[in-house]
Amino acid sequence: MAIDTKLICHKHKCSCCAKCLLGGHKNCKDFTDINDAVCRIKSSNMMLEIENSMREVTDNLQRIQTNRAGNLSSLKLHRQTIETEIQIARHTVNNHFDRLERTLLEELHIIENDERKKINKILASVELKEKEIAELQKSLAVTKQHASDLQTYLISKQIEHELMESESFIQSIQNNNDLSDVIISFQTNDMMKSLENISKFWKIVVQTSQSDIFLVRQKNKQTLTKVDIVTKEYPDHQYETIKTEEDSCFIVTVKPANDALKFGLNGQYRLCITTSGFILEDIQKKIPKCCWSFNIVRKFGKRGIEKEFEITVGRRNILGEGTVVLLCSSKDEPYQMSCIAENIMKRMKSKVKH
């Protein structure tokens, strides 16, 4: 028996028949003929919006996954850095520090494990949501190929609702500061004269900093609530970026080593590649920590180890020669850094010739 469905009620977002108009929809005013609504559903703006939203949600989930995985790597580096500092300090004191060292290392591992559990919990929920989006993509593809127009419309509205829930999930991650980077650092007590009276020289400090992750969202979500019969092209400003960074700037972590300590480098920095050379600046204060012009850089480029980029400076550097190894967020970044620096140097040489 066929369903006597004639109209779409935009207030209740459902189909209704002639009997419904006299019942629960008698006060509703915003209706669309169902034939107009479903006649071109598969090529409508709503279908395009849903597909775009799916790609958008998937991209955002992948960005979050990459961002959290990067924080896991940096946590390990911070731990290694602190362990190195602990060992250096350990050689300056007597046997009284054996017990304090064990206590501190245990505290460090406990804190790292606690923070890793928090991040892994976020990653698990993101991976689950990503699988759900993948299933929706498959369902939408099958619907477009085999379902009738009415079935396609009803299924697309259900998918639209689930997409909005996914977007709310992503927004909740941002609102709860779950994307804030966790930084563990090492602080030394200045009172080191009365060693026997001091029970603790250091402490492990957990800090968070604003993440450089950027998520994309549609500016206009209202188009998801109605079906536009005529398909329109989307303008370039249909999407906005919540946060962006210059292509020539990268978030890197300095690998602990003697040259890095000599240059006063420890932890995360923003590496900017400009016509002035390589600039390492404080992420929060945005103050340059080291500036190496191209004329004092002997060599630079990707190391044999994945995600590592090294810069070697000569004797003309104010702090002397040395090599600094930077751990990048992805395996592609060392290659990108090399290309940007080489292109800048080529342009500079070209200008000198002219």
Side-chain angles (χ1 to χ4, degrees), residues 89-251:
R90 178 66 183 82
H91 293 300
T92 65
V93 296
N94 57 30
N95 294 332
H96 174 69
F97 283 87
D98 286 335
R99 178 180 57 82
L100 299 178
E101 182 184 13
R102 288 193 299 270
T103 302
L104 184 64
L105 290 175
E106 289 173 0
E107 180 185 356
L108 173 62
H109 285 285
I110 289 173
I111 289 176
E112 184 201 14
N113 289 334
D114 289 342
E115 296 304 323
R116 289 175 67 91
K117 289 177 182 178
K118 295 176 185 178
I119 296 175
N120 281 324
K121 184 178 180 180
I122 297 173
L123 285 174
S125 61
V126 167
E127 290 172 357
L128 178 61
K129 188 64 66 175
E130 192 175 20
K131 290 179 181 179
E132 293 176 1
I133 295 300
E135 290 298 322
L136 289 178
Q137 289 175 319
K138 293 179 182 178
S139 176
L140 184 64
V142 172
T143 299
K144 291 177 65 178
Q145 185 176 2
H146 300 291
S148 67
D149 289 343
L150 178 57
Q151 290 174 326
T152 302
Y153 173 81
L154 296 175
I155 293 174
S156 64
K157 296 298 288 185
Q158 180 182 356
I159 293 176
E160 177 191 43
H161 176 70
E162 295 181 16
L163 277 176
M164 297 181 81
E165 289 183 348
S166 298
E167 291 167 350
S168 297
F169 164 77
I170 293 175
Q171 190 63 44
S172 68
I173 291 179
Q174 285 187 294
N175 294 340
N176 294 334
N177 292 324
D178 289 334
L179 296 182
S180 296
D181 285 341
V182 176
I183 300 172
I184 52 177
S185 60
F186 174 74
Q187 293 184 357
T188 305
N189 193 318
D190 293 331
M191 300 177 62
M192 298 186 66
K193 294 183 179 180
S194 302
L195 298 182
E196 296 294 333
N197 297 326
I198 297 177
S199 61
K200 191 172 184 178
F201 284 97
W202 314 282
K203 66 177 180 179
I204 307 301
V205 179
V206 179
Q207 296 175 306
T208 60
S209 66
Q210 184 63 42
S211 173
D212 291 293
I213 186 175
F214 65 93
L215 302 177
V216 177
R217 65 165 179 255
Q218 278 185 280
K219 284 184 177 179
N220 187 5
K221 292 294 182 184
Q222 286 79 9
T223 53
L224 287 175
T225 62
K226 289 189 178 182
V227 179
D228 292 332
I229 304 307
V230 180
T231 303
K232 300 178 182 178
E233 294 184 356
Y234 294 93
D236 294 335
H237 61 270
Q238 180 69 18
Y239 291 89
E240 67 174 358
T241 298
I242 295 175
K243 185 175 183 183
T244 60
E245 291 290 333
E246 292 294 333
D247 292 340
S248 57
C249 291
F250 304 84
I251 301 301

Side-chain angles (χ1 to χ4, degrees), residues 268-282:
Q268 277 193 329
Y269 298 93
R270 179 182 287 104
L271 174 65
C272 297
I273 308 173
T274 69
T275 54
S276 301
F278 296 98
I279 300 175
L280 276 177
E281 65 177 24
D282 187 286

